[in-house]
Amino acid sequence: QVQLVESGGGLVQAGGSLRLSCAASRMIGSLNSMGWYRQAPGKERDLVAEITTPGNTNYADSVKGRFTISRDNAKNTVYLQMNSLKPEDTAIYYCKIVVSTLRNTYMYWGQGTQVTVSS
């Protein structure tokens, strides 16, 4: 089992910045990807950004140019640097990792961290 612990959420004014962190308790098998999703009240959980093992990144159009995803393999940690925050970025942010063993592929989610952007 892999546990993900997120941190860095909080309340910030529009235009401000936050940095989210997600640390995995351990890594099993091969890491496929690490990513961040968000869910606003009454809405579905959507991809914000992800980074794959080769280092390729993918961003939602709404955050391109403002958010940056990165990872520290030695620490099994993924980060999300969020700049120029907008009220519409308010949501619970969830970390997700996908790993593969010889037998199966597993997906793990963090517990979520609240990000609130005031206007």
Side-chain angles (χ1 to χ4, degrees):
Q1 188 74 337
V2 176
Q3 292 183 331
L4 303 180
V5 179
E6 300 150 343
S7 61
L11 173 64
V12 65
Q13 289 188 333
S17 298
L18 285 174
R19 188 192 193 207
L20 305 183
S21 299
C22 172
S25 59
R26 66 190 187 107
M27 198 58 64
I28 61 172
S30 300
L31 176 65
N32 291 350
S33 66
M34 305 181 81
W36 289 94
Y37 289 69
R38 67 186 181 187
Q39 187 168 19
K43 296 187 177 181
E44 295 184 350
R45 188 176 299 186
D46 293 323
L47 173 71
V48 176
E50 66 179 353
I51 183 167
T52 62
T53 295
N56 297 324
T57 57
N58 181 36
Y59 294 93
D61 288 341
S62 60
V63 307
K64 285 180 180 177
R66 300 188 297 123
F67 292 9
T68 302
I69 190 170
S70 62
R71 70 182 184 203
D72 185 331
N73 291 334
K75 297 181 179 180
N76 293 333
T77 300
V78 62
Y79 305 96
L80 185 68
Q81 178 66 43
M82 305 185 294
N83 299 328
S84 302
L85 282 161
K86 304 175 180 180
E88 51 263 44
D89 294 318
T90 295
I92 299 175
Y93 284 69
Y94 297 91
C95 171
K96 184 187 86 171
I97 70 166
V98 179
V99 297
S100 294
T101 66
L102 291 176
R103 296 182 178 181
N104 215 334
T105 296
Y106 302 89
M107 181 170 61
Y108 298 96
W109 289 92
Q111 80 285 357
T113 184
Q114 177 71 47
V115 171
T116 303
V117 184
S118 63
S119 57

